[in-house]
Amino acid sequence: MNFEKYPFEKLNELLKDIKPNDNYEPSALTIGEPQFETPKFIQNALNKSTSLLKKYPASAGLPELKEAMINFVKKRFNVTLKDKQLVTTFGTRESLFNFPQFLLFDKKEPTIAFTNPFYQIYEGAAIASRAKVIHINLTKQNKFKAKLSDKELEKCDLVILNYPNNPTSAEMTKKELGEWVKKALEFDFVLVNDECYSEIYFDESKKPSSLLEASIEVGNVDFKNVIVMNSISKRSSAPGLRSGFVAGDENILESYMQYRTYVGCASPVPLQKAAAVAWNEDFHVDEFREIYKKNFKIAKEILGITPPKATFYIWLEVEDDLEFTKNLYKEKNIKVLPGSFLGRNGMGQGYVRIALVENEEKTREILKRLKDFIDG
């Protein structure tokens, strides 16, 4: 298999011969990893469960973890899932990579479509599935919203959306997602929405919608051809717990569950115990959202940007993303991620992705440096 280098590897190569300005503390705004301590109650649940390391974890996951995830979906999206409509996973990166391989195995010449720019695991899954790729190009002109023609959709076996979107921070409404569900039924392809940023939003009255809600809204109450994936990593600042789920069409998930028993990606029991506690609690998520909200308020004040409605990313338009990245690192010791590393066919060029995952004090200091650089 011939995989592309990961964006962070490309970044290291881009910057390897540059000596950064050591008058400033090194600052990395590149990776979507919250830089906050995982809440103590989650850590305590993990500590109390270490004796369970002696047990092999079941691929199906602990019943209490699955129940917590189903409860989360009910509380957050008002969607009631049956037990067979949700599969616990080892985060979402695992399932985003192996679900397409499982789904497309029996297809002679499979085709995957996914948003572009993108989280690179989508492309990796396409390569591993020997699938032809149709890029769903996200541009400023289409407001970074996914759209394909019927002619293109007729060719698709699997479509992967990602809303709220990484890297552009764009959203799609429930109605817009519902139109995609209709197309999935009309052209009989499986539609996945990667919803791992669904809980990083800043207006309680305008929470991001789930594809599950949209499916019900258009009458597809059994979620035929519809799958969502979500994770605790961003929600609870606990990426190390590796706790995620796949939910939706039970006919697909029944076979996928059997497939996963062979994959061997079961999460250790102590991690599952801690994750169940985290999925069941909401107040700590509110606190993290407030931090991100303050960070974007600072970004608006310093950079003059319009804060997104969800995610913790700024998709900053620049003249040349590679030169901007190199010079920013050289002059201000700040790392950002060039948009061209996240896209294909020119998508992402002229943008850099900035992850606001630090505390308020660090965010203010780094963004002031960034502003000084921009003003030149």
Side-chain angles (χ1 to χ4, degrees), residues 298-309:
I298 293 167
K300 181 180 180 180
E301 171 194 327
I302 295 174
L303 301 178
I305 59 112
T306 300
K309 295 177 182 177

Side-chain angles (χ1 to χ4, degrees), residues 94-103 256 259-260 263 265:
E94 171 243 318
S95 51
L96 284 165
F97 185 64
N98 66 37
F99 180 81
Q101 295 174 65
F102 148 78
L103 186 75
Y256 180 58
Y259 164 85
R260 289 192 77 259
V263 173
C265 281

Side-chain angles (χ1 to χ4, degrees), residues 83-333:
D83 187 76
K84 290 183 179 180
Q85 291 174 324
L86 185 142
V87 172
T88 66
T89 61
F90 197 63
T92 52
R93 183 173 176 174
E94 171 243 318
S95 51
L96 284 165
F97 185 64
N98 66 37
F99 180 81
Q101 295 174 65
F102 148 78
L103 186 75
L104 302 174
F105 180 80
D106 292 323
K107 300 286 184 182
K108 188 175 181 180
E109 295 180 344
T111 297
I112 297 179
F114 52 79
T115 46
N116 178 33
F118 51 83
Y119 176 35
Q120 194 151 325
I121 208 72
Y122 308 159
E123 183 180 74
I127 292 168
S129 303
R130 296 185 174 90
K132 179 182 176 183
V133 172
I134 296 175
H135 290 116
I136 307 172
N137 294 332
L138 307 181
T139 67
K140 184 165 65 172
Q141 288 68 36
N142 62 27
K143 299 181 181 179
F144 307 109
K145 296 193 177 190
K147 183 74 174 177
L148 284 181
S149 68
D150 286 358
K151 187 175 180 180
E152 291 170 309
L153 291 174
E154 285 176 348
K155 302 174 183 176
C156 292
D157 299 295
L158 172 64
V159 173
I160 303 176
L161 305 179
N162 170 216
Y163 289 94
N165 184 255
N166 168 22
T168 70
S169 294
E171 280 191 279
M172 291 188 79
T173 65
K174 189 190 300 184
K175 183 177 180 180
E176 289 167 335
L177 290 172
E179 292 303 311
W180 270 98
V181 174
K182 291 178 185 177
K183 293 295 184 182
L185 296 174
E186 180 182 354
F187 296 108
D188 196 26
F189 60 82
V190 174
L191 178 64
V192 172
N193 194 27
D194 174 4
E195 300 183 355
C196 72
Y197 291 94
S198 70
E199 302 316 288
I200 311 300
Y201 59 84
F202 312 113
D203 187 340
E204 281 291 323
S205 66
K206 298 177 182 178
K207 300 176 184 178
S209 295
S210 171
L211 188 65
L212 296 177
E213 295 176 275
S215 185
I216 293 172
E217 190 85 358
V218 298
N220 186 24
V221 296
D222 293 325
F223 311 118
K224 177 177 169 54
N225 289 3
V226 167
I227 296 290
V228 303
M229 300 186 187
N230 212 326
S231 162
I232 210 166
S233 299
K234 322 297 182 185
R235 177 184 185 269
S236 296
S237 292
L241 279 182
R242 309 311 305 136
S243 179
F245 64 77
V246 179
D249 188 328
E250 66 180 284
N251 293 318
I252 295 172
L253 293 183
E254 183 177 9
S255 298
Y256 180 58
M257 183 65 246
Q258 185 179 26
Y259 164 85
R260 289 192 77 259
T261 62
Y262 288 87
V263 173
C265 281
S267 177
V269 177
L271 295 186
Q272 292 189 53
K273 289 279 188 181
V277 170
W279 281 110
N280 272 324
E281 212 274 349
D282 297 323
F283 293 113
H284 72 289
V285 191
D286 294 335
E287 292 173 357
F288 286 130
R289 274 195 288 267
E290 280 303 309
I291 294 172
Y292 295 127
K293 189 174 182 178
K294 288 177 182 176
N295 282 350
F296 276 110
K297 186 176 180 181
I298 293 167
K300 181 180 180 180
E301 171 194 327
I302 295 174
L303 301 178
I305 59 112
T306 300
K309 295 177 182 177
T311 83
F312 43 55
Y313 295 121
I314 296 174
W315 190 232
L316 184 68
E317 191 169 7
V318 297
E319 188 171 337
D320 183 318
D321 55 306
L322 298 182
E323 287 302 312
F324 183 95
T325 299
K326 290 191 291 185
N327 291 329
L328 177 62
Y329 180 58
K330 179 180 178 180
E331 296 179 26
K332 299 295 182 180
N333 209 347

Side-chain angles (χ1 to χ4, degrees), residues 66-78:
K66 195 167 187 177
E67 182 181 3
M69 292 171 168
I70 289 173
N71 287 343
F72 161 76
V73 173
K74 176 62 177 177
K75 286 188 294 182
R76 173 64 176 84
F77 302 111
N78 195 29

